[in-house]
């Protein structure tokens, strides 16, 4: 059995002129918030992701750095743990070029040499504390938690994105029966690690259908075999997503891969407190800075925002905070 665990991270340099030229050939009227320029701009924090990985997860087997073709000028391409992967190296040519993160993510399992167990990161997710392999995988399975919830929507939610979450639920509902899972996996949908959430889960047990799910915008532990199974069972739906050059309302998202693993029973329960902390640049930035400086979470996500903020000042302050906890270069930097 191969117990090695790889990391996969996707990155784009939204200021690259060649990338912009190609993107603009296809963009037309794609101006909704899911495809705005803010989704592609670089906060210049990537080197701190590598520093965190090297310092706190030295056990990682290999890092697959997925990119349109550009790489940061400071990146040490000679590092033996680094594999730079161009979209053309693994995404079928009929889907290229793509500016759709869903399409990229649904093809990650095609990366040559990728281990069966891998963890997927966006480039706005950072490790702040030592994390063992068991944080992500236990007994060969991804560590996750039962996500049953009533449907909920934020007033600032993007309609396209919310629609894709409904698509995810439809895909999962078509392949799994909620009650069947619950009968056969009692300790996975009710578990002391879930704390007070068990009350909600017991209340929702009375509703036999899938209602909604919690979605944590954080790193995902995946089994490569889950991707293969989903492509086998839902090829038409995933193919439609991958043919969208940009994220669209008719897409399915990687959350459905997470849910597929859960409803297949292929996960080990973990505590909600181990899901990390999500921050938005337009939110409480003092709390964000404090979380980094005092390393209050194992991992965090710093999501860009469509709301107006002093972007340059905020990202500069973030770099100062990261410099204090990661003052030294990693071996992934020249």
């Amino acid at each position: 059995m191969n117990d090695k665990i790889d990391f996969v991270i996707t990155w784009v340099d939204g200021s690259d002129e060649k990338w912009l030229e190609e993107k603009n050939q296809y963009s037309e009227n794609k101006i909704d918030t899911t495809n705005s320029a803010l989704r592609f701009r670089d906060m210049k924090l990537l080197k701190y992701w590598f520093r965190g990985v090297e310092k706190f997860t030295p056990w990682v087997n290999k890092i697959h750095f997925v990119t349109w073709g550009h790489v940061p000028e400071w990146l040490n391409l000679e590092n033996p743990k680094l594999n730079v992967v161009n979209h053309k190296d693994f995404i079928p040519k009929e889907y290229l070029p793509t500016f759709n993160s869903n399409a990229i993510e649904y093809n990650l399992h095609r990366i040559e040499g990728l281990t069966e167990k891998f963890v997927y990161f966006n480039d706005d997710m950072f490790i702040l504390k030592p994390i063992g392999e068991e944080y992500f995988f236990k007994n060969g399975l991804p560590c996750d938690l039962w996500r049953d919830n009533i449907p909920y929507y934020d007033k600032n939610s993007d309609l396209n994105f919310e629609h894709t979450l409904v698509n995810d639920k439809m895909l999962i509902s078509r392949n799994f029966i909620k009650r069947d899972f619950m009968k056969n996996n009692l300790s996975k949908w009710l578990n002391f690690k879930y704390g007070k959430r068990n009350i909600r889960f017991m209340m929702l047990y009375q509703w036999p259908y899938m209602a909604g799910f919690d979605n944590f915008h954080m790193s995902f532990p995946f089994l490569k075999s889950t991707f293969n199974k989903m492509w086998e069972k839902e090829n038409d739906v995933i193919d439609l997503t991958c043919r969208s050059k940009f994220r669209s309302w008719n897409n399915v998202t990687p959350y459905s891969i997470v849910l597929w693993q859960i409803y297949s029973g292929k996960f080990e329960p973990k505590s909600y407190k181990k899901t990390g902390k999500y921050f938005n640049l337009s939110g409480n930035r003092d709390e964000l800075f404090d979380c980094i400086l005092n390393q209050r979470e194992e991992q965090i996500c710093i999501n860009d925002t469509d709301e107006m903020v002093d972007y340059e000042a905020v990202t500069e302050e973030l770099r100062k905070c990261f410099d204090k906890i990661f003052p030294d270069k990693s071996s992934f930097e020249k």
Side-chain angles (χ1 to χ4, degrees), residues 81-297:
K81 277 194 172 185
L82 180 66
N83 178 34
V84 177
V85 187
N86 191 299
H87 292 173
K88 297 176 182 178
D89 295 335
F90 71 102
I91 299 176
K93 61 182 181 181
E94 59 264 32
Y95 303 141
L96 292 173
T98 185
F99 310 93
N100 180 356
S101 60
N102 296 323
I104 296 168
E105 291 156 348
Y106 255 105
N107 286 283
L108 293 177
H109 65 299
R110 305 183 196 274
I111 295 174
E112 185 175 358
L114 181 66
T115 53
E116 166 67 5
K117 296 184 293 184
F118 71 95
V119 184
Y120 172 58
F121 294 82
N122 291 160
D123 63 2
D124 58 0
M125 300 169 183
F126 303 90
I127 296 175
L128 301 182
K129 286 183 178 182
I131 295 178
E133 298 176 42
E134 68 282 356
Y135 182 92
F136 296 109
F137 291 92
K138 185 177 179 181
N139 299 322
L141 297 175
C143 294
D144 213 318
L145 65 159
W146 186 239
R147 295 167 177 252
D148 219 13
N149 203 350
I150 59 173
Y152 59 94
Y153 304 97
D154 185 88
K155 64 182 178 67
N156 297 317
S157 294
D158 180 88
L159 292 179
N160 268 3
F161 177 69
E162 297 295 352
H163 205 302
T164 60
L165 297 183
V166 174
N167 297 340
D168 290 345
K169 187 180 81 167
M170 292 174 64
L171 183 150
I172 298 301
S173 299
R174 196 161 53 231
N175 287 277
F176 298 95
I177 298 174
K178 174 182 171 181
R179 284 283 176 84
D180 285 351
F181 169 85
M182 300 178 90
K183 289 176 183 176
N184 298 322
N185 298 275
L186 178 61
S187 66
K188 291 192 174 185
W189 71 269
L190 281 181
N191 193 285
F192 72 94
K193 294 181 179 180
Y194 303 156
K196 293 181 179 179
R197 287 180 169 239
N198 284 303
I199 299 174
R200 177 205 299 168
F201 299 154
M202 286 188 288
M203 293 176 66
L204 287 173
Y205 176 77
Q206 305 302 317
W207 182 249
Y209 308 107
M210 297 178 192
F213 310 101
D214 278 327
N215 298 303
F216 307 111
H217 188 48
M218 208 60 60
S219 62
F220 295 139
F222 283 133
L223 296 175
K224 190 164 65 171
S225 53
T226 305
F227 288 69
N228 289 321
K229 177 61 71 173
M230 292 186 70
W231 272 93
E232 175 189 335
K233 295 287 188 179
E234 291 288 350
N235 182 86
D236 291 348
V237 173
I238 302 174
D239 176 74
L240 180 64
T241 291
C242 292
R243 291 184 185 278
S244 299
K245 294 298 181 186
F246 297 85
R247 294 201 291 188
S248 175
W249 67 270
N250 62 4
N251 285 185
V252 286
T253 79
Y255 289 123
S256 64
I257 308 174
V258 173
L259 295 170
W260 192 286
Q261 290 182 159
I262 290 174
Y263 273 90
S264 298
K266 293 184 176 180
F267 77 101
E268 286 289 337
K270 72 174 182 179
S271 170
Y272 169 70
K273 295 179 180 179
K274 295 293 183 180
T275 57
K277 180 78 171 180
Y278 171 88
F279 292 95
N280 189 295
L281 285 187
S282 64
N284 188 333
R285 292 190 288 277
D286 288 337
E287 181 184 1
L288 167 58
F289 301 149
D290 174 73
C291 185
I292 297 171
L293 290 171
N294 293 289
Q295 296 167 268
R296 299 193 184 281
E297 299 282 342

